[in-house]
Amino acid sequence: WTASDIQNFLLWLNGPAGAGKSAIIQTLALRLQEVGCLRGRFFFKRAHSSCCNARALFTTLAYQLVDPAVRKLVPKTVEEAPKLI
């Protein structure tokens, strides 16, 4: 892939346990990152408390998607205005 092959899109992959979702999406994420097209990623994992809730999803993606100059403000903003989530 090249950057021109991919426009802005969101990929949501779901399916039964053991179907290979994680392997597929991790491979895709690595390839997108190699060509500079990956802006953010989040993997849900039931057994991991920080990877299975909306707060972590929102803050992680917000941190990854904002300009690096303002990234440090994301956690503080969420703390001060939790209703944003």
Side-chain angles (χ1 to χ4, degrees):
W1 293 320
T2 65
S4 62
D5 294 331
I6 301 168
Q7 296 299 317
N8 295 326
F9 72 93
L10 172 70
L11 177 64
W12 187 285
L13 186 63
N14 65 14
K21 300 177 300 293
S22 294
I24 292 168
I25 203 67
Q26 286 176 359
T27 300
L28 177 61
L30 287 173
R31 289 187 182 171
L32 290 171
Q33 188 171 16
E34 287 171 0
V35 297
C37 291
L38 185 67
R39 291 286 299 154
R41 65 178 178 240
F42 185 88
F43 295 93
F44 281 100
K45 186 173 183 178
R46 291 182 203 271
H48 197 281
S49 63
S50 66
C51 295
C52 66
N53 64 64
R55 184 180 183 93
L57 171 64
F58 177 84
T59 55
T60 300
L61 291 179
Y63 182 84
Q64 293 173 0
L65 295 175
V66 299
D67 184 88
V70 296
R71 281 186 181 158
K72 63 184 176 209
L73 301 175
V74 172
K76 183 179 180 186
T77 302
V78 171
E79 252 182 55
E80 292 174 357
K83 291 185 179 182
L84 284 174
I85 297 173

